[in-house]
Amino acid sequence: MEYVKGKPYFTDCNSRIKQYPYLNDDKYCDILIIGGGIDGAIANYYLSQKYDVVLVDKGRLGFGCTSCATALLEYQLDDFASDLKPYMSEKEICLAYKMGLSAIDKISGFIEQYGNKCEFNLRPTFLFSNSIFSKQKMKDEYDFRIKNGFICDYFDESNNPFPFAIKSGIFASNGGCEFNPYLFEKMMIENAKNQDNIFENTCIKEIDKSHLGFTVSTNYGEKIYCKKILIATGFNWEILKTKDLCERFITYSVVTKPLENFSWYHSALIHDATTPYHYFRLLPDSRIIFGGEDTLYKGDGIKEKLSEKKYKKLEKDLKNLFQDRQDIQIDYKFCGCFGATNNNMGLIGESKFDDDILLFISCGANGIINAMKGVEALDDIWQHKDNELIDIFSPKRKNL
Ligand SMILES: Cc1cc2nc3c(=O)[nH]c(=O)nc-3n(C[C@H](O)[C@H](O)[C@H](O)COP(=O)(O)OP(=O)(O)OC[C@H]3O[C@@H](n4cnc5c(N)ncnc54)[C@H](O)[C@@H]3O)c2cc1C
């Protein structure tokens, strides 16, 4: 089944990158990570520092949904704090925001250690709406953040520094960062300790368990014997023979051709909260990556006709936003699947299938942020340590 369609910009521009072999022998390890997208790569980098880890991917590393991530990495969540209250306490919502800020620091630290080989930049975030109906909600969100110590400014028509119309908005100067998701994934993979235990083009077909542990079979019959399994297969759950881990959506993106003399206020990462919402940012060569127009994914592939309709709508909305630019031309169109939960958090931790099969599935618009912090919760589960993130990420939690 398809989870990505079109020509994703990030892999198209950077496809000539080191490849890893396929597995052609049996292997023993403590932890097997199935899936080498950005989630599997993050888990592999951190866990291989402590454990004996094997990572396998059925295709090329980073060519799944990772290749289409817009990579707006923000501390704010998909929903306003007021919408999250049925699913999380105020303390948990603040914890999720703080987790986002901490993930941004962690990404910065990683880049400082290995060098900036992935177009990383710290960026402010701007959440806005041009609808009069969202004005009160935006003000409430701003008050919530100020009350809880998050630094931000409130903008409206009277002080709007952006080149498009707004009715209300929240600008967080320390709110985010951006990178090329495919190149970041490569940095995680290539700096991991277990270089001889990373395999591409190796599909896992079957998982069996006995009192000795797991025996996992690949498409060509090789076996991997391991104590624990981490499912990092993105939004493809065929290996677990289930359909209902959480709701899945397709989100659509367009990338413009480079625009001359073009930028906006502090090159902020922008999220238009009006329904249907849009998210966008600038790429290093002055292109705009612009996404949204989500549709429910029913597990039956991505429909070509619907995708084309959504790309046209994105192009129209983008041109409407920047009406004084006559030179906006679309260069790339692509879409991919993502998972969504009620509290906007990923599915990270022990699964309902087996306590030794753990899920590592980042969800929502902040998937990558989830993965950067979620890996700490995993390690603490194994070490029987407390970690306040374990509950908000647990795949067994209520109200998914
Ligand atoms: C258009 C779009 C925009 C997005 N924008 C953002 C954003 O701005 N910020 C953000 O944080 N997130 C964003 N996301 C979400 C982000 O892309 C995901 O959270 C992230 O890519 C998930 O990574 P992953 O590694 O779990 O999945 P994937 O990249 O899909 O990787 C899963 C891997 O598992 C492998 N696999 C599957 N089954 C098997 C098997 N049986 N055996 C072996 N390997 C297997 C696949 O080949 C694949 O490579 C966006 C998503 C989309 C689609």
Side-chain angles (χ1 to χ4, degrees):
M1 203 54 74
E2 277 175 323
Y3 297 89
V4 170
K5 213 177 174 86
K7 190 166 72 159
Y9 168 78
F10 296 108
T11 37
D12 189 63
C13 294
N14 301 284
S15 58
R16 286 172 177 271
I17 266 175
K18 175 178 172 183
Q19 277 196 263
Y20 286 81
Y22 59 88
L23 182 67
N24 63 0
D25 207 353
D26 293 353
K27 277 270 171 198
Y28 291 82
C29 60
D30 293 335
I31 303 168
L32 168 65
I33 301 178
I34 308 178
I38 200 161
D39 287 355
I42 290 171
N44 183 64
Y45 171 80
Y46 288 104
L47 297 176
S48 67
Q49 292 173 6
K50 271 194 180 170
Y51 304 99
D52 175 21
V53 178
V54 167
L55 170 81
V56 295
D57 194 289
K58 68 176 180 179
R60 286 190 67 181
L61 300 170
F63 273 65
C65 294
T66 299
S67 64
C68 23
T70 319
L72 281 87
L73 308 159
E74 307 176 279
Y75 82 85
Q76 63 200 9
L77 304 174
D78 298 356
D79 293 318
F80 288 97
S82 55
D83 294 329
L84 291 169
K85 285 194 176 149
Y87 314 108
M88 281 165 127
S89 65
E90 192 163 321
K91 195 173 158 214
E92 285 175 322
I93 299 168
C94 289
L95 172 67
Y97 283 12
K98 282 182 194 151
M99 173 191 83
L101 291 172
S102 164
I104 294 163
D105 285 347
K106 198 169 165 187
I107 295 168
S108 303
F110 176 80
I111 301 293
E112 254 170 51
Q113 189 176 352
Y114 295 107
N116 189 353
K117 297 172 192 151
C118 62
E119 298 157 9
F120 168 82
N121 290 298
L122 287 170
R123 293 286 186 219
T125 58
F126 186 52
L127 175 71
F128 84 98
S129 173
N130 195 27
S131 161
I132 192 77
F133 302 111
S134 302
K135 212 165 173 172
Q136 190 54 48
K137 222 172 178 182
M138 194 71 77
K139 189 74 180 51
D140 292 345
E141 173 73 18
Y142 172 72
D143 291 342
F144 174 86
R145 293 198 203 174
I146 293 294
K147 184 180 112 192
N148 288 293
F150 297 99
I151 302 163
C152 52
D153 298 303
Y154 183 78
F155 290 154
D156 59 19
E157 297 105 313
S158 66
N159 60 351
N160 174 19
F162 288 91
F164 45 80
I166 68 161
K167 292 277 184 299
S168 59
I170 301 171
F171 182 82
S173 53
N174 67 341
C177 65
E178 63 184 18
F179 55 46
N180 176 320
Y182 180 62
L183 294 181
F184 180 78
E185 194 261 0
K186 290 290 154 268
M187 284 183 71
M188 280 280 161
I189 288 286
E190 288 173 14
N191 289 301
K193 288 253 185 303
N194 59 339
Q195 289 301 302
D196 294 337
N197 276 342
I198 298 175
F199 302 96
E200 293 186 78
N201 300 309
T202 303
C203 182
I204 298 303
K205 283 289 184 199
E206 217 44 70
I207 300 175
D208 294 306
K209 194 174 187 192
S210 73
H211 66 287
L212 295 172
F214 290 105
T215 303
V216 176
S217 312
T218 72
N219 47 336
Y220 292 115
E222 282 82 17
K223 306 278 185 230
I224 304 169
Y225 303 97
C226 58
K227 294 180 194 135
K228 297 201 184 288
I229 295 176
L230 202 62
I231 304 288
T233 54
F235 312 102
N236 169 356
W237 304 317
E238 280 158 35
I239 189 72
L240 293 171
K241 302 181 172 55
T242 184
K243 281 187 181 162
D244 63 350
L245 290 182
C246 69
E247 268 194 320
R248 288 179 289 185
F249 294 86
I250 301 294
T251 188
Y252 303 83
S253 274
V254 293
V255 175
T256 66
K257 289 191 174 167
L259 292 156
E260 261 179 51
N261 303 319
F262 185 70
S263 183
W264 56 67
Y265 191 62
H266 292 288
S267 304
L269 312 178
I270 302 184
H271 189 130
D272 175 356
T274 321
T275 309
Y277 74 96
H278 294 127
Y279 46 87
F280 49 107
R281 71 175 175 98
L282 283 166
L283 294 172
D285 54 354
S286 294
R287 296 170 189 263
I288 308 171
I289 182 165
F290 188 80
E293 295 296 321
D294 306 356
T295 53
L296 195 64
Y297 181 70
K298 298 188 187 121
D300 53 352
I302 299 177
K303 309 279 180 290
E304 186 81 48
K305 229 171 150 179
L306 179 62
S307 311
E308 283 306 324
K309 206 170 130 193
K310 294 293 178 183
Y311 300 139
K312 283 207 174 83
K313 172 79 167 41
L314 285 173
E315 181 176 354
K316 187 168 155 237
D317 289 346
L318 173 62
K319 287 180 172 168
N320 268 339
L321 211 54
F322 297 99
Q323 286 178 9
D324 55 344
R325 295 293 305 210
Q326 303 305 311
D327 54 346
I328 292 179
Q329 286 178 36
I330 302 304
D331 205 5
Y332 287 86
K333 302 183 278 190
F334 50 90
C335 61
C337 193
F338 74 97
T341 58
N342 282 333
N343 72 351
N344 295 188
M345 296 289 115
L347 303 169
I348 297 177
E350 287 169 353
S351 71
K352 60 184 179 190
F353 308 98
D354 186 307
D355 283 352
D356 291 318
I357 298 183
L358 286 91
L359 303 188
F360 197 69
I361 298 171
S362 61
C363 290
N366 275 344
I368 299 166
I369 293 274
N370 279 201
M372 282 304 284
K373 291 302 285 182
V375 68
E376 295 168 18
L378 271 190
D379 195 25
D380 286 342
I381 292 174
W382 286 327
Q383 296 197 57
H384 305 288
K385 282 192 194 161
D386 284 341
N387 181 327
E388 48 191 2
L389 295 175
I390 293 175
D391 286 343
I392 62 171
F393 278 132
S394 171
K396 294 176 184 168
R397 67 188 183 263
K398 289 190 187 123
N399 278 330
L400 268 177

